[in-house]
């Protein structure tokens, strides 16, 4: 449909009616007023057109966001055991890692590496695909230290590479692009809600129909352990550490709200989804969620290779 340009005309007395004017100064004043009104109406019309263009751009994202809210009710029943699912997998990974025998690593060092990767996850940071493998081998002092150490991996170019990686994954493209759109337009809360819904869907849809509380827990860890037994090397061991890191992060961001009395430093799904977050959702929170989704997709792909 073609947009017809509309003009706004504000009526003024007819400046050509000499009989209505007592002298030339009144005529001049009215002419000046009409000129100013024409200028004002032109600017108003231009502003309305710009506003319409912005609205046209936002509409697809708003529509997808509305659809996401409608779907939330469908997920409500399935969400109840979700934290238990994540906790189960997290515990399974920790046990499997400590059980692995690596000649070059002592039991104490394995424990240190596991705890370090878990701490990074609890502070919201999962694996960057372009990061050195040793990045998470030492635990951060606190959340500020963690944020400082990964800052170089959060440049605009690095974030765009995460987006490109996600676009190659088996993810609902319209929701992903809406989340990226919201990120680029600094609508971080809307972005986080879309990402939470994508993460929810991936975990819930992997649940076994026969054992709804055991989605990937039994097969995923067993399959990855089977791969490790065939390829006993440090590379496979560190892959397992990355997934322990991922599920430590998932366990944190899906943690129960506990009556919303104390908001955690890491973004929390329950606080954001229920509108109980006191601090605003930040760009950094969204980067963390994009990383979680990307790493979750790699995990689901690896865990299905040896079924």
């Amino acid at each position: 449909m073609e947009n017809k340009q509309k003009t706004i005309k504000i009526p003024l007395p007819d400046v050509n009616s000499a009989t209505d004017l007592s002298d030339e100064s009144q005529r001049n004043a009215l002419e000046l007023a009409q000129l100013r009104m024409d200028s004002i109406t032109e600017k108003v019309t231009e502003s309305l057109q710009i506003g319409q263009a912005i609205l046209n751009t936002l509409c697809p994202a708003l529509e997808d966001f509305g659809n996401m809210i409608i779907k939330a009710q469908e997920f409500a029943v399935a969400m109840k055991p979700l934290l238990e699912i994540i906790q189960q997998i997290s515990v399974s990974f920790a046990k499997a890692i400590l059980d692995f025998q690596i000649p070059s690593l002592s039991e104490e060092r394995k424990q240190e590496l596991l705890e370090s990767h878990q701490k990074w996850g609890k502070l919201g940071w999962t694996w960057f695909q372009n990061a050195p493998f040793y990045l998470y081998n030492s635990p951060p002092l606190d959340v500020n230290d963690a944020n400082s150490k990964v800052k170089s991996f959060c440049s605009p170019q690095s974030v765009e590479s995460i987006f490109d990686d996600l676009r190659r994954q088996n993810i609902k493209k319209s929701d992903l692009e809406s989340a990226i759109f919201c990120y680029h337009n600094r609508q971080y809360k809307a972005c986080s809600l879309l990402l939470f819904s994508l993460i929810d869907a991936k975990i819930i849809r992997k649940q076994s129909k026969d054992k709804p509380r055991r989605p990937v827990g039994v097969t995923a860890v067993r399959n990855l352990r089977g791969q490790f037994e065939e390829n006993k090397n440090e590379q496979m061991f560190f892959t397992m550490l990355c997934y322990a890191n991922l599920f430590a992060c998932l366990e944190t961001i899906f943690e129960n709200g506990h009556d919303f009395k104390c908001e955690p430093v890491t973004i929390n799904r329950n606080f954001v989804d229920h509108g109980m977050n006191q601090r605003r959702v930040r760009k950094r929170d969204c980067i963390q969620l994009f990383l979680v989704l990307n790493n979750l997709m790699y995990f689901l792909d690896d865990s299905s290779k040896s079924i």
Side-chain angles (χ1 to χ4, degrees):
M1 181 184 295
E2 296 183 0
N3 292 327
K4 295 182 178 179
Q5 182 172 343
K6 296 182 179 180
T7 59
I8 302 172
K9 199 72 173 177
I10 300 176
L12 289 171
D14 185 1
V15 296
N16 295 315
S17 269
T19 57
D20 295 336
L21 303 174
S22 57
D23 53 41
E24 191 67 20
S25 63
Q26 288 183 343
R27 178 188 296 274
N28 291 338
L30 285 172
E31 289 177 344
L32 179 60
Q34 184 63 65
L35 287 173
R36 290 191 178 278
M37 282 299 176
D38 289 343
S39 175
I40 290 171
T41 55
E42 181 181 348
K43 294 296 183 185
V44 170
T45 302
E46 181 181 346
S47 297
L48 290 173
Q49 291 172 339
I50 293 172
Q52 183 63 45
I54 294 173
L55 184 60
N56 289 341
T57 303
L58 283 173
C59 273
L62 292 173
E63 183 178 354
D64 285 335
F65 184 65
N67 291 335
M68 181 206 72
I69 293 174
I70 293 171
K71 292 177 182 177
Q73 187 174 2
E74 300 174 9
F75 284 119
V77 175
M79 284 304 300
K80 187 176 180 180
L82 186 56
L83 181 58
E84 295 176 31
I85 291 166
I86 294 168
Q87 289 171 335
Q88 179 193 46
I89 300 173
S90 185
V91 170
S92 298
F93 265 115
K95 185 177 185 303
I97 287 169
L98 295 177
D99 286 345
F100 288 157
Q101 298 300 314
I102 302 289
S104 58
L105 294 174
S106 66
E107 296 301 312
E108 292 77 13
R109 184 53 181 159
K110 285 195 298 181
Q111 183 70 45
E112 290 172 356
L113 289 170
L114 174 61
E115 291 177 357
S116 178
H117 281 73
Q118 287 176 330
K119 184 169 183 179
W120 277 100
K122 290 175 182 178
L123 293 176
W125 292 111
T126 56
W127 202 251
F128 291 87
Q129 297 302 317
N130 60 339
F133 74 94
Y134 54 79
L135 178 64
Y136 292 168
N137 284 4
S138 299
L141 299 175
D142 52 30
V143 65
N144 293 327
D145 185 41
N147 294 340
S148 175
K149 287 180 177 177
V150 300
K151 188 175 181 180
S152 61
F153 301 103
C154 297
S155 66
Q157 295 82 0
S158 296
V159 174
E160 288 300 324
S161 71
I162 298 171
F163 295 162
D164 290 340
D165 208 7
L166 282 166
R167 289 184 175 110
R168 292 188 287 269
Q169 304 279 15
N170 182 23
I171 299 172
K172 186 177 179 182
K173 295 300 185 287
S174 60
D175 286 356
L176 175 62
E177 292 301 330
S178 292
I180 294 172
F181 175 88
C182 289
Y183 176 85
H184 284 152
N185 288 274
R186 301 182 180 181
Q187 301 301 310
Y188 299 127
K189 185 166 186 177
C191 176
S192 70
L193 289 170
L194 283 162
L195 290 171
F196 276 130
S197 74
L198 287 168
I199 295 167
D200 292 349
K202 285 300 174 183
I203 297 176
I204 292 170
R205 287 170 185 166
K206 280 295 180 178
Q207 294 186 58
S208 166
K209 293 181 180 179
D210 298 326
K211 298 179 179 179
R213 289 177 180 266
R214 298 169 72 85
V216 203
V218 174
T219 57
V221 179
R222 184 177 61 220
N223 291 341
L224 290 173
R225 175 178 271 180
Q227 293 178 44
F228 177 82
E229 292 298 331
E230 295 174 5
N231 305 281
K232 283 191 174 181
N233 55 50
E234 289 192 17
Q235 182 178 353
M236 189 63 201
F237 177 76
F238 280 100
T239 298
M240 296 290 286
L241 283 174
C242 289
Y243 293 141
N245 159 260
L246 168 64
F247 280 92
C249 183
L250 285 168
E251 190 173 353
T252 301
I253 65 177
F254 281 94
E255 187 178 5
N256 189 290
H258 301 297
D259 297 326
F260 307 106
K261 292 179 179 178
C262 183
E263 186 173 3
V265 294
T266 304
I267 188 170
N268 180 274
R269 181 192 183 281
N270 289 296
F271 274 84
V272 176
D273 277 13
H274 292 90
M276 299 300 290
N277 54 308
Q278 296 299 312
R279 66 170 177 81
R280 61 185 178 84
V281 178
R282 302 158 298 192
K283 176 193 283 191
R284 180 170 65 242
D285 298 317
C286 293
I287 294 174
Q288 290 176 337
L289 292 176
F290 278 116
L291 280 172
V292 167
L293 178 60
N294 200 32
N295 283 297
L296 179 62
M297 296 307 300
Y298 279 110
F299 166 75
L300 294 175
D301 181 59
D302 279 350
S303 67
S304 64
K305 286 179 180 177
S306 302
I307 295 177

